[in-house]
C-alpha cells in the first residue's frame, strides 16, 4: 500500500528536536520512480514534500542521529485537513524506521 498525493497535497513532519531525524521519501512522480524528498525534520510541523500532479509515496525512511530517543510524526495535508500517518513516541538513538504506507518497521 502507498500514500497517494494529488496536486497541492503536502507531506509534513516534525520531531522532538530539530535536525536530528534524517528522512528520505521515495516513490513515483507520475510514472517515474524517484527520490521525492530528503532532509532533516524540524521541531515544529513543516512541509517535507508538495505534490505536483499525482504522486505516490512508496517508502519513507527516518533515521535518528541523536544520542537519545526522539518522538517523530508525519502528516498528510490535503488542503483542508491534516491527518497523521506516522506517530512514533520513541525512536531510539541510532535506529531507523521504514514506512511503506501500510506497515511501519523499526530497526
Amino acid at each position: 500500500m502507498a500514500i497517494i498525493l494529488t496536486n497541492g497535497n503536502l507531506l509534513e513532519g516534525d520531531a522532538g528536536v530539530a535536525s536530528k531525524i534524517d528522512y528520505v521519501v521515495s516513490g513515483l512522480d507520475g510514472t517515474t520512480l524517484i527520490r521525492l524528498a530528503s532532509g532533516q525534520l524540524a521541531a515544529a510541523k513543516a512541509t517535507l514534500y508538495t505534490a505536483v500532479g499525482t504522486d505516490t509515496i512508496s517508502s519513507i525512511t527516518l533515521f535518528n542521529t541523536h544520542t537519545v530517543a526522539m518522538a517523530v510524526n508525519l502528516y498528510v495535508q490535503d488542503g483542508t485537513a491534516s491527518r497523521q500517518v506516522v506517530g512514533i513516541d520513541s525512536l531510539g538513538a541510532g535506529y531507523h524506521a521504514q514506512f511503506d504506507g501500510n506497515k511501519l518497521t523499526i530497526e
Side-chain angles (χ1 to χ4, degrees):
M1 179 175 235
I3 298 171
I4 308 296
L5 301 179
T6 57
N7 195 44
N9 289 173
L10 307 175
L11 177 65
E12 302 171 314
D14 63 57
V17 175
S19 304
K20 298 297 182 181
I21 302 291
D22 295 341
Y23 68 88
V24 176
V25 180
S26 301
L28 297 171
D29 181 15
T31 59
T32 305
L33 182 61
I34 64 170
R35 177 183 290 185
L36 296 168
S38 61
Q40 296 179 318
L41 294 180
K45 189 190 296 185
T47 300
L48 310 181
Y49 181 73
T50 303
V52 178
T54 299
D55 297 319
T56 304
I57 297 173
S58 58
S59 174
I60 302 170
T61 302
L62 304 162
F63 181 71
N64 184 356
T65 64
H66 203 5
T67 57
V68 298
M70 302 268 295
V72 180
N73 299 292
L74 297 176
Y75 310 87
V76 170
Q77 167 67 259
D78 69 4
T80 58
S82 181
R83 65 182 171 89
Q84 187 176 36
V85 293
V86 172
I88 302 171
D89 292 334
S90 182
L91 180 61
Y95 281 78
H96 73 274
Q98 180 78 30
F99 181 65
D100 67 4
N102 185 43
K103 184 173 86 173
L104 177 67
T105 304
I106 298 176
E107 298 179 339

